[in-house]
Amino acid sequence: MSGIRLENVFKAYGDATVVRDLSLTIPQGEFFTLLGPSGSGKTTTLSIIAGFTMADRGRVFINGRDATRAEPRERGLGMVFQNYAIFPHLNVFENVAFPLTVKKVPKVEIAKRVADALEMVKLTGFERRYARQLSGGQQQRVALARAIVAHPPIVLMDEPLGALDKNLRYHMQMEIKEISTRLGMTVVYVTHDQEEALTMSDRIAIMNGGVIAQMGPPREVYERPQSAFVAKFLGEADLIRVERQSGCLVGPGSLPVRAGEDNGSLQKGQLFLRPEKVTLCDPGTGEAGCTLRGKVHQVAFLGNVIRFEVELEDGTIILSDVANAAGIKNFPVGAAVDVTWLPEHARLLED
Amino acid sequence: MKGTIGQSKVSRRNFLVGAGTLLAAPYVLKGKALAAGQVVVRTPGGAYDDIMRKFVYDPFTAETGIQVVPVAATVSKLLAMFKANNVEIDLIDTGEGPLITLSRMGALAPIEYDKWTWSRPEDVAPEYRRPDTVANFVYSSVLAFNTETFPGDNHPKNWVDFWDAEKFPGPRMLTDMAAGSPSLEFALLAAGVKKEDLYPIDIDRAFKMLTELRPHIRKFWDSGAVSAQLLSDKEVVMGCIWNGRLQTIIEKGAPLNYVWDGNMIQVQALGIFKDSPNRAAAQRLVDFMTQPDVQAKYVAALRYGPTNLKAFDHISADLLEMMPGGPKSRELGFVQNTEWWEDNRDKVNRVWSRWILG
Amino acid sequence: MPLGPLAKWLLLAPAVALLLVLFLTPVGWFISASLMELGSWQDIWDEVAAVMGTGVIVRSIINTNGISLAVTLLTLVIGYPVAYAMTRARGLTFTLILVCVVLPYFTSTIVRTYAWMVILGRNGIINQLLLGMGLVDEPLQLMYNRLGVLIGMTYVLLPYMVLTLFATMKSVDGRLLQAAAGMGARPMTIFTRVFFPLTFHGVMAGSLIVYILAMGFFITPALMGGPDDLMMAMLIEREVELSHNWPVAAIMTIILLVITLSLYAVYTRFSDSSEERLA
């Protein structure tokens, strides 16, 4: 069996538990992302997979073999490090060749594979340069080429794009994704950038406080978060306090609300909506059961989207993102509006 | 330029050993604090200062109210002071050789023998008196040996024996050029030259003798402390050494003894910078220091010999036996010819370097 | 915050002033005043030829550089592991190593050297031990020869090497070593291919400092060496103190200075080109 499997991995530094009984399975060929705020345990988890950190308890399987106690060099992983970790005393060729030279691969073979790797990251012709002579993006490509040159089945990436500016970052996301798909690599990717995670991953594990808060494909975790934390971490979220009165959910202004997949078990909670699923209409025109009343608090022009901030009767602020398309209806600040949505877009979350 | 010159060598050297040039600053500042009623004396430093303070400086201050400030200074610093016209020292208490150098440069004021009140100039032996220097004590380089290695009467008795490595085997020591002069006189005595005929020294002949003995010489010493260490650690079993140093380690229990035969009497002297700020006070201190009873006390404490012959009257008979420049020392030894060394030191230094590296 | 060129010069000013007042001026004065004693250029040249002609100075230059080179290599071989241990050590262990390394500087050269005599002498601790264990029949000659000079100077100069190397090693990015391990390198390979190259400019800097300092030594070789361990500074010292031959001392000083500065120039060229890559 290939891929990675963690079983009840636990790691603490003194009193501080960093990873708490974490188990996960990453099948061969998957682009898997560990997403979370700093201190959530995602980097430690990656480090345990890489072998730089030893877990206190639990086991690590790599390609079916128990690698819990194996040295990093015995694990046969490719790695892209935060800040790239390019050797400053070696040029691009020597850097990329490093994983092959230490394995005593014949020179001719090295030359060929380094050339291939550099071509793949579009750095052909930069062989003799040193790190300080390269731009951030080029350094990133060197790091990438070095991670894949030995054709490792698994590549670990620790916030590899953190130091790049936004445009370049998007560009590199696409390239990394393309290369990993082309080579059929298993990628374990660590980031704190939710957009990056959503763009690239086959599956995302959102970590918080050393445990996985939720794990699933990007669309699922984005649209069907199981907690307010996941909802808020993956982009903007509207959360409305609701409670159940005689079987029905009631929101601010004692208006009834409905949510998809509500089995009636929760007595109170938060109604979750993505801002792009929330629409505004003139007062009194919203459909009962999925409408709340409020007034426009602020309007922000974001280019492709116009963002309305609506204050509900209990003071809750609701965001509504409206595509900046032809025929868009404008609501001035202070205008009374109805806030509506489709019931299947709303989810009831625990507090 | 003024003020930086005196320490030019010091700062260069400090740079070379990396200790930082700032260390030299106190030397520049020190000399400036001269007030009336002071004499600044260049001394060899260390224990010497303590003894001189007890028997000379403090009594002098008690009698005259003049403070005595001992300072350390190398000969080259004294030369630099004079050349840079920035004299910060009044009285120089050093080997006669450097004083003759200074004297020849015209740096020294005449000793005012006619104004002496405490001492009588004629009591000072004539060979210890010069117009601008007067000797304040003498010391002697003697042949010392280890009494465990050479027990009873079976020990080297003169420099001929010292050169005989078959009869008296074991590592030896002699002086290095850096000590002031290498042991050329002893080499010539070993070659059979009479002590009256030592000067002018036959340099080539002396070095031939040194070459002969060189395999048996563990170390050419360049400071009194090293010579004492070598003997007391039994690093060498015989060697020439200053008698004062030798007495000190013998009294500490080292199994050592010495012979007076062929001992070389060397002269320490006083001189006064002619441009010094406290000349008059310095003249008085010279006068005070030369008194028979004062001299008797400090030479006894230092294990050296007096230059005022009347001082012998204040010294006990058994101490007289071991006193350099005393009757026995003068009978069996000779006085080093400082003038010859001043004329020839540069030349000997060159021959020495070539010999050492050759 | 990056500094403008003016601010940089202002920060350097005290150091430059100190160097000027306390080093360059006295040395300049010493050399010019000494050479002026000789008179014309022809006389100066004749004296130079005479000094070089005896061969003594040449032998001494060879001695000085030979000893300096040996001491540099010894401090490097001994100092490198010590400095590395310091980068790994924490708390009390670190303090202990540091104290041991800089301890020589709490005692004077003279006291330190006499301590060596007690340890290395013919009847010193080491020889007593070796004789007692029956490993040797005769006391070993551990000092008053070249070996003594090397032991003494290595000890005195070791801190310069260790502290320079320590600073360099401390600045090595640990993630690079981790990266190398992650890429399959064994500890020995990580050392030879990554750690050592990354600390190489520290090795060069430390070696240069030790070498240049060693060139100017004279107390330790005088006390611990044999008669032929004559270094240049000792020759200069003797010309100044004994012969009072300042012109010759000045010429020797210039020779020593020229050798030292040339070494420094070679070093800066070297380090410029390597810094360029590492910056």
Side-chain angles (χ1 to χ4, degrees), chain C:
Chain C
M1 187 186 73
L3 290 171
L6 182 68
K8 273 183 196 160
W9 280 107
L10 280 176
L11 284 175
L12 276 177
V16 171
L18 200 70
L19 196 69
L20 217 62
V21 172
L22 291 178
F23 176 66
L24 288 179
T25 311
V27 168
W29 175 83
F30 173 73
I31 289 174
S32 55
S34 303
L35 293 183
M36 237 141 41
E37 272 181 31
L38 288 174
S40 71
W41 285 108
Q42 185 57 46
D43 294 337
I44 293 174
W45 177 247
D46 289 347
E47 190 72 21
V48 171
V51 168
M52 298 300 291
T54 63
V56 168
I57 189 93
V58 177
R59 285 289 303 274
S60 172
I61 289 171
I62 294 169
N63 262 352
T64 308
N65 283 285
I67 291 173
S68 301
L69 184 67
V71 168
T72 305
L73 292 175
L74 281 170
T75 53
L76 183 60
V77 168
I78 299 168
Y80 201 93
V82 175
Y84 183 74
M86 273 174 74
T87 61
R88 298 283 121 177
R90 297 273 172 280
L92 191 65
T93 324
F94 174 80
T95 315
L96 216 64
I97 303 177
L98 187 67
V99 167
C100 287
V101 167
V102 297
L103 204 60
Y105 289 85
F106 294 116
T107 56
S108 79
T109 312
I110 309 279
V111 170
R112 220 183 304 141
T113 313
Y114 283 116
W116 278 117
M117 293 181 184
V118 172
I119 296 167
L120 298 174
R122 195 176 156 75
N123 301 295
I125 295 167
I126 290 182
N127 268 319
Q128 297 287 357
L129 209 69
L130 291 176
L131 287 168
M133 294 194 307
L135 290 173
V136 292
D137 302 327
E138 283 266 298
L140 295 178
Q141 180 86 30
L142 299 174
M143 56 188 299
Y144 307 125
N145 56 14
R146 183 62 58 91
L147 182 64
V149 178
L150 295 184
I151 292 173
M153 287 179 66
T154 301
Y155 180 72
V156 175
L157 289 170
L158 192 59
Y160 292 95
M161 182 62 90
V162 169
L163 295 179
T164 310
L165 287 175
F166 173 72
T168 311
M169 290 179 184
K170 204 69 187 165
S171 70
V172 169
D173 187 349
R175 289 174 300 191
L176 294 177
L177 309 179
Q178 209 175 56
M183 284 182 270
R186 292 172 177 279
M188 199 57 212
T189 317
I190 297 175
F191 177 79
T192 55
R193 297 287 315 275
V194 183
F195 190 75
F196 187 76
L198 285 176
T199 54
F200 191 67
H201 67 281
V203 169
M204 288 309 287
S207 299
L208 183 83
I209 291 170
V210 169
Y211 198 98
I212 286 178
L213 290 178
M215 295 270 292
F217 258 53
F218 69 97
I219 295 175
T220 308
L223 287 173
M224 298 193 59
D228 52 352
D229 293 314
L230 200 54
M231 295 182 72
M232 286 197 72
M234 297 159 77
L235 272 186
I236 296 171
E237 155 95 355
R238 258 175 27 200
E239 291 294 339
V240 173
E241 291 288 342
L242 289 176
S243 308
H244 312 306
N245 193 340
W246 288 15
V248 170
I251 290 165
M252 291 180 177
T253 304
I254 293 170
I255 294 172
L256 186 59
L257 214 56
V258 165
I259 296 174
T260 312
L261 291 176
S262 322
L263 279 171
Y264 186 71
V266 169
Y267 166 74
T268 20
R269 280 203 62 173
F270 171 85
S271 74
D272 276 354
S273 60
S274 81
E275 290 290 314
E276 213 173 295
R277 283 184 281 143
L278 297 178

Side-chain angles (χ1 to χ4, degrees), chain A residues 73 81 83 89 130 132, chain C residues 175 179 186 193 276-277:
Chain A
R73 69 184 143 82
F81 295 85
N83 301 339
H89 61 293
Y130 288 90
R132 56 155 224 111
Chain C
R175 289 174 300 191
R186 292 172 177 279
R193 297 287 315 275
E276 213 173 295
R277 283 184 281 143

Side-chain angles (χ1 to χ4, degrees), chain A residues 278-288 290-296 308 310 320 322 329-331 335-341:
Chain A
V278 175
T279 52
L280 303 182
C281 52
D282 289 325
T285 61
E287 188 187 336
C290 44
T291 296
L292 289 169
R293 282 199 289 270
K295 65 174 196 273
V296 176
F308 294 93
V310 179
S320 168
V322 181
K329 184 168 171 58
N330 203 2
F331 295 94
V337 288
D338 272 7
V339 176
T340 75
W341 60 90

